[in-house]
Amino acid sequence: MRLILLGAPGAGKGTQAELVARKLNIPTISTGNILREAIKNRTEVGVIAKSFIDNGMLVPDDVVIGIVRDRLSREDCQKGYILDGVPRTIPQAQALLDQGVQIDRVISIEVADEVIARRMSGRRVCPVCGAPYHIVSNPPKIEGICNACGGTLVTRNDDKPETVVERLTVYHERTEALKGFYEKLGKLRLVEGNQPIEDVNRDVMAALGEEI
Protein backbone atom coordinates (compact mmCIF):
# COMPACT_ATOMS: atom_id res chain seq x y z
CA MET A 1 0.00 0.00 0.00
CA ARG A 2 1.49 3.29 -1.17
CA LEU A 3 -0.51 6.00 0.49
CA ILE A 4 -0.89 9.77 0.80
CA LEU A 5 -2.96 11.32 3.59
CA LEU A 6 -4.45 14.74 2.87
CA GLY A 7 -6.30 17.08 5.19
CA ALA A 8 -6.10 20.52 6.74
CA PRO A 9 -3.76 21.21 9.68
CA GLY A 10 -5.35 19.64 12.75
CA ALA A 11 -7.48 17.18 10.77
CA GLY A 12 -5.73 14.22 12.37
CA LYS A 13 -3.39 13.10 9.58
CA GLY A 14 -0.49 12.37 11.93
CA THR A 15 -2.59 10.22 14.24
CA GLN A 16 -4.05 8.23 11.36
CA ALA A 17 -0.65 7.82 9.69
CA GLU A 18 0.69 6.31 12.90
CA LEU A 19 -2.25 3.89 13.21
CA VAL A 20 -2.16 2.81 9.55
CA ALA A 21 1.62 2.38 9.58
CA ARG A 22 1.33 0.10 12.60
CA LYS A 23 -1.52 -1.98 11.14
CA LEU A 24 0.06 -2.42 7.70
CA ASN A 25 3.66 -2.55 8.93
CA ILE A 26 4.81 0.14 6.53
CA PRO A 27 6.89 3.27 7.28
CA THR A 28 5.69 6.85 7.37
CA ILE A 29 8.08 8.92 5.29
CA SER A 30 8.33 12.48 6.60
CA THR A 31 9.67 14.94 4.06
CA GLY A 32 11.22 17.12 6.75
CA ASN A 33 13.04 14.20 8.34
CA ILE A 34 14.48 12.80 5.11
CA LEU A 35 15.54 16.26 3.95
CA ARG A 36 17.50 16.74 7.17
CA GLU A 37 18.96 13.24 6.86
CA ALA A 38 20.05 13.81 3.25
CA ILE A 39 21.76 17.07 4.25
CA LYS A 40 23.46 15.42 7.24
CA ASN A 41 24.70 12.49 5.12
CA ARG A 42 25.83 14.84 2.34
CA THR A 43 24.10 12.87 -0.39
CA GLU A 44 24.14 14.40 -3.86
CA VAL A 45 20.64 15.86 -3.55
CA GLY A 46 21.29 16.72 0.10
CA VAL A 47 24.22 18.94 -0.88
CA ILE A 48 22.04 20.65 -3.50
CA ALA A 49 19.24 21.17 -0.96
CA LYS A 50 21.65 22.63 1.58
CA SER A 51 22.93 25.17 -0.93
CA PHE A 52 19.39 26.56 -1.31
CA ILE A 53 18.69 26.56 2.43
CA ASP A 54 22.01 28.27 3.22
CA ASN A 55 21.04 31.05 0.83
CA GLY A 56 17.64 31.50 2.45
CA MET A 57 15.78 29.99 -0.48
CA LEU A 58 13.07 27.32 -0.66
CA VAL A 59 14.27 23.92 -1.84
CA PRO A 60 12.91 23.43 -5.40
CA ASP A 61 10.23 20.80 -5.96
CA ASP A 62 12.44 18.62 -8.16
CA VAL A 63 15.10 18.44 -5.45
CA VAL A 64 12.54 17.56 -2.75
CA ILE A 65 11.00 14.88 -4.96
CA GLY A 66 14.47 13.50 -5.76
CA ILE A 67 15.16 13.08 -2.05
CA VAL A 68 11.76 11.40 -1.57
CA ARG A 69 12.39 9.04 -4.49
CA ASP A 70 15.79 8.04 -3.09
CA ARG A 71 14.24 7.32 0.32
CA LEU A 72 11.43 5.23 -1.19
CA SER A 73 13.95 3.01 -2.95
CA ARG A 74 15.13 1.56 0.38
CA GLU A 75 14.24 -1.95 1.51
CA ASP A 76 11.77 -0.89 4.23
CA CYS A 77 9.54 0.77 1.63
CA GLN A 78 9.20 -2.22 -0.69
CA LYS A 79 5.89 -3.31 0.88
CA GLY A 80 4.52 0.22 0.86
CA TYR A 81 4.75 3.59 2.60
CA ILE A 82 2.81 6.62 3.78
CA LEU A 83 3.99 9.99 2.50
CA ASP A 84 3.88 12.78 5.10
CA GLY A 85 4.39 16.39 4.02
CA VAL A 86 4.53 15.80 0.29
CA PRO A 87 2.97 16.58 -2.09
CA ARG A 88 1.73 19.97 -0.92
CA THR A 89 1.04 21.41 -4.35
CA ILE A 90 -0.07 20.15 -7.77
CA PRO A 91 3.43 20.73 -9.27
CA GLN A 92 4.84 18.46 -6.54
CA ALA A 93 2.18 15.83 -7.25
CA GLN A 94 3.00 15.97 -10.96
CA ALA A 95 6.72 15.72 -10.17
CA LEU A 96 6.06 12.55 -8.16
CA LEU A 97 4.32 11.05 -11.19
CA ASP A 98 7.04 12.20 -13.57
CA GLN A 99 9.76 10.64 -11.41
CA GLY A 100 7.97 7.31 -11.19
CA VAL A 101 6.82 7.46 -7.56
CA GLN A 102 3.76 5.19 -7.41
CA ILE A 103 0.70 5.99 -5.28
CA ASP A 104 -2.13 3.49 -4.74
CA ARG A 105 -4.56 5.55 -2.70
CA VAL A 106 -5.03 9.13 -1.50
CA ILE A 107 -7.17 9.57 1.62
CA SER A 108 -8.49 13.04 2.43
CA ILE A 109 -9.60 13.47 6.05
CA GLU A 110 -12.46 15.96 5.92
CA VAL A 111 -12.99 18.29 8.88
CA ALA A 112 -14.74 21.69 8.79
CA ASP A 113 -12.59 24.75 9.51
CA GLU A 114 -14.59 25.73 12.60
CA VAL A 115 -14.08 22.26 14.09
CA ILE A 116 -10.34 22.42 13.42
CA ALA A 117 -10.16 25.87 15.02
CA ARG A 118 -11.80 24.50 18.18
CA ARG A 119 -9.53 21.46 18.21
CA MET A 120 -6.31 23.38 17.80
CA SER A 121 -7.19 26.16 20.22
CA GLY A 122 -7.62 23.48 22.90
CA ARG A 123 -4.23 21.89 22.38
CA ARG A 124 -1.55 22.33 25.02
CA VAL A 125 2.03 21.05 25.27
CA CYS A 126 4.59 20.75 28.02
CA PRO A 127 7.67 22.83 27.10
CA VAL A 128 9.80 20.71 29.44
CA CYS A 129 9.10 17.13 28.32
CA GLY A 130 6.98 17.68 25.19
CA ALA A 131 3.90 15.77 26.42
CA PRO A 132 0.76 16.78 24.45
CA TYR A 133 -2.66 17.51 25.94
CA HIS A 134 -6.07 18.80 24.93
CA ILE A 135 -8.33 20.66 27.33
CA VAL A 136 -11.35 18.60 26.16
CA SER A 137 -10.21 15.24 24.80
CA ASN A 138 -7.01 14.72 26.80
CA PRO A 139 -6.91 17.12 29.76
CA PRO A 140 -4.16 17.01 32.41
CA LYS A 141 -5.10 15.82 35.89
CA ILE A 142 -4.41 19.33 37.21
CA GLU A 143 -5.40 22.20 34.92
CA GLY A 144 -2.36 23.72 33.22
CA ILE A 145 0.12 21.27 34.74
CA CYS A 146 1.88 18.37 32.96
CA ASN A 147 1.06 14.95 34.41
CA ALA A 148 4.52 13.62 33.59
CA CYS A 149 6.89 16.27 34.90
CA GLY A 150 4.88 19.05 36.51
CA GLY A 151 5.77 21.61 33.86
CA THR A 152 3.43 24.49 33.06
CA LEU A 153 1.53 23.76 29.86
CA VAL A 154 1.57 26.27 27.01
CA THR A 155 -0.18 26.86 23.69
CA ARG A 156 2.13 26.42 20.70
CA ASN A 157 2.40 29.37 18.35
CA ASP A 158 1.00 27.13 15.57
CA ASP A 159 -2.18 26.62 17.64
CA LYS A 160 -2.92 30.27 18.36
CA PRO A 161 -6.17 31.43 16.67
CA GLU A 162 -4.56 33.90 14.27
CA THR A 163 -1.99 31.30 13.18
CA VAL A 164 -4.65 28.62 12.72
CA VAL A 165 -6.62 30.91 10.40
CA GLU A 166 -3.47 31.62 8.36
CA ARG A 167 -2.57 27.91 8.11
CA LEU A 168 -6.09 27.00 6.99
CA THR A 169 -6.01 29.75 4.36
CA VAL A 170 -2.73 28.43 2.96
CA TYR A 171 -4.13 24.87 2.92
CA HIS A 172 -7.24 25.90 0.97
CA GLU A 173 -5.23 28.01 -1.48
CA ARG A 174 -2.38 25.59 -2.20
CA THR A 175 -3.01 22.05 -1.01
CA GLU A 176 -6.74 21.38 -1.25
CA ALA A 177 -6.52 21.43 -5.05
CA LEU A 178 -4.67 18.11 -4.78
CA LYS A 179 -8.02 16.42 -4.15
CA GLY A 180 -9.11 17.24 -7.69
CA PHE A 181 -5.77 16.12 -9.09
CA TYR A 182 -5.99 12.67 -7.50
CA GLU A 183 -9.74 12.34 -8.09
CA LYS A 184 -9.07 12.53 -11.83
CA LEU A 185 -6.60 9.66 -11.40
CA GLY A 186 -9.24 7.60 -9.58
CA LYS A 187 -7.17 7.40 -6.38
CA LEU A 188 -9.01 9.78 -4.03
CA ARG A 189 -11.22 8.65 -1.13
CA LEU A 190 -12.86 11.02 1.38
CA VAL A 191 -13.15 10.14 5.07
CA GLU A 192 -15.18 12.09 7.66
CA GLY A 193 -12.69 13.26 10.28
CA ASN A 194 -15.08 14.79 12.81
CA GLN A 195 -15.64 11.58 14.76
CA PRO A 196 -13.72 9.55 17.36
CA ILE A 197 -10.19 8.53 16.33
CA GLU A 198 -11.04 4.83 16.20
CA ASP A 199 -14.02 5.52 13.92
CA VAL A 200 -11.90 7.65 11.58
CA ASN A 201 -9.37 4.82 11.45
CA ARG A 202 -12.10 2.27 10.71
CA ASP A 203 -13.22 4.38 7.75
CA VAL A 204 -9.63 4.95 6.58
CA MET A 205 -8.95 1.20 6.61
CA ALA A 206 -12.21 0.57 4.77
CA ALA A 207 -11.17 3.09 2.11
CA LEU A 208 -7.92 1.17 1.71
CA GLY A 209 -9.66 -2.22 1.63
CA GLU A 210 -9.70 -2.57 -2.15
CA GLU A 211 -5.91 -2.45 -2.20
CA ILE A 212 -5.00 -4.47 0.92
Side-chain angles (χ1 to χ4, degrees):
M1 173 57 62
R2 296 164 294 194
L3 173 65
I4 292 171
L5 287 177
L6 296 179
K13 299 185 299 297
T15 298
Q16 292 305 318
E18 183 179 335
L19 292 171
V20 173
R22 193 182 309 143
K23 288 185 175 181
L24 299 185
N25 194 29
I26 57 176
T28 297
I29 306 302
S30 165
T31 311
N33 289 345
I34 61 175
L35 185 59
R36 286 187 288 271
E37 182 184 357
I39 291 171
K40 178 182 177 181
N41 294 337
R42 298 187 61 79
T43 65
E44 182 178 350
V45 284
V47 170
I48 295 172
K50 187 175 186 298
S51 68
F52 284 96
I53 293 171
D54 287 348
N55 286 293
M57 301 166 64
L58 290 175
V59 181
D61 286 348
D62 59 336
V63 177
V64 173
I65 300 304
I67 290 173
V68 171
R69 186 194 60 215
D70 288 350
R71 176 64 183 87
L72 298 183
S73 67
R74 295 187 192 174
E75 181 65 28
D76 65 334
C77 291
Q78 299 315 297
K79 292 183 180 179
Y81 44 78
I82 303 170
L83 287 181
D84 176 17
V86 68
R88 292 188 184 274
T89 62
I90 287 178
Q92 287 185 356
Q94 187 62 55
L96 283 173
L97 280 179
D98 293 344
Q99 295 205 29
V101 176
Q102 298 297 314
I103 301 298
D104 297 315
R105 184 71 76 237
V106 178
I107 304 293
S108 179
I109 301 175
E110 302 287 298
V111 183
D113 284 3
E114 56 268 25
V115 175
I116 286 176
R118 287 198 302 271
R119 279 186 185 180
M120 297 177 76
S121 66
R123 297 202 297 201
R124 302 291 185 269
V125 67
C126 177
V128 180
C129 70
Y133 296 90
H134 192 281
I135 59 175
V136 175
S137 60
N138 182 33
K141 294 176 182 177
I142 302 173
E143 184 176 350
I145 302 299
C146 177
N147 296 343
C149 72
T152 300
L153 303 181
V154 299
T155 301
R156 296 187 318 159
N157 287 334
D158 278 357
D159 294 334
K160 292 179 178 177
E162 61 274 18
T163 308
V164 171
V165 170
E166 182 179 338
R167 293 175 70 194
L168 288 171
T169 298
V170 170
Y171 168 76
H172 290 307
E173 289 178 350
R174 299 182 185 177
T175 306
E176 194 169 29
L178 287 169
K179 291 196 292 186
F181 181 90
Y182 285 112
E183 185 176 26
K184 290 178 181 177
L185 296 175
K187 299 182 183 296
L188 180 71
R189 300 293 183 274
L190 305 182
V191 168
E192 172 56 54
N194 188 23
Q195 53 180 334
I197 290 171
E198 58 272 19
D199 293 341
V200 177
N201 187 247
R202 175 202 63 209
D203 292 349
V204 168
M205 298 307 293
L208 299 179
E210 299 172 32
E211 299 289 336
I212 295 175

